[in-house]
């Protein structure tokens, strides 16, 4: 079972590498704005989780760099996810706004919709 899971994990990572979307062509101003925005976000994830891959690919497509924490191997990250978000489930996006308030968002579709919404004013401003 462990071997099958290991092989599946490798397949997921190979598929991710082969289907990596190109970053969009952005102005220096847009790139800077996306970098500033991304400072609010940390993605808690497992490397070979297909739902996490979906979020990573979406962020690449947007040109939004995302800091990631491995909640499988990094025990401090795992503990932070459990304490902050309430459960060990990935992907989970930690959002810290300018006032220092923190939200933990689960569900890959919700995370992607949120990132699309947050980046739209930057990306659509050409
Ligand atoms: N519907 C969720 C599924 C996420 C999910 O099942 N993640 C798995 C890893 S691939 C997980 O965290 N499992 C642990 C658990 O559910 O407790 C999403 O789209 O984000």
């Amino acid at each position: 079972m462990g071997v099958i899971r290991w092989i599946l994990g490798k397949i997921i990572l190979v598929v991710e590498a082969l289907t990596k979307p190109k970053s969009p062509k952005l102005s220096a101003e847009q790139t800077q704005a996306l970098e500033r925005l991304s400072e609010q976000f940390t993605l808690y994830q497992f490397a070979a989780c297909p739902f996490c891959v979906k979020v990573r690919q979406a962020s690449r497509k947007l040109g939004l760099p995302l800091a990631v924490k491995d909640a499988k191997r990094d025990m401090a990250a795992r503990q932070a996810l459990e304490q902050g978000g309430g459960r060990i489930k990935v992907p989970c996006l930690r959002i810290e706004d300018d006032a220092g308030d923190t939200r933990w968002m689960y569900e890959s579709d919700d995370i992607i919709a949120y990132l699309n919404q947050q980046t739209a004013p930057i990306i659509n401003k050409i």
Side-chain angles (χ1 to χ4, degrees):
M1 196 60 194
V3 176
I4 293 174
R5 199 173 301 145
W6 184 84
I7 292 171
L8 273 178
K10 293 292 172 203
I11 291 172
I12 288 169
L13 293 176
V14 169
V15 171
E16 178 182 18
L18 294 176
T19 59
K20 244 179 207 174
K22 283 210 169 77
S23 300
K25 291 214 180 324
L26 299 166
S27 67
E29 192 189 31
Q30 286 172 312
T31 302
Q32 260 181 13
L34 287 172
E35 281 170 5
R36 258 199 314 277
L37 177 68
S38 74
E39 286 168 12
Q40 297 181 17
F41 307 136
T42 307
L43 182 69
Y44 285 73
Q45 59 148 27
F46 299 162
C49 157
F51 304 98
C52 304
V53 170
K54 201 167 86 173
V55 174
R56 295 201 296 264
Q57 298 287 53
S59 77
R60 286 185 187 117
K61 204 166 163 187
L62 291 168
L64 179 74
L66 268 191
V68 295
K69 296 229 182 208
D70 187 334
K72 192 180 276 282
R73 294 194 173 82
D74 175 347
M75 287 306 128
R78 193 175 176 87
Q79 200 179 5
L81 172 62
E82 189 165 29
Q83 280 175 2
R87 61 185 295 199
I88 303 290
K89 187 176 182 192
V90 292
C92 180
L93 186 70
R94 181 182 184 275
I95 306 162
E96 184 172 339
D97 67 21
D98 291 340
D101 294 324
T102 304
R103 281 169 64 195
W104 297 76
M105 183 181 287
Y106 290 95
E107 288 302 320
S108 53
D109 286 344
D110 292 348
I111 295 170
I112 292 169
Y114 176 77
L115 294 178
N116 281 332
Q117 182 208 27
Q118 293 295 304
T119 53
I122 300 170
I123 291 173
N124 298 333
K125 199 180 85 184
I126 306 217

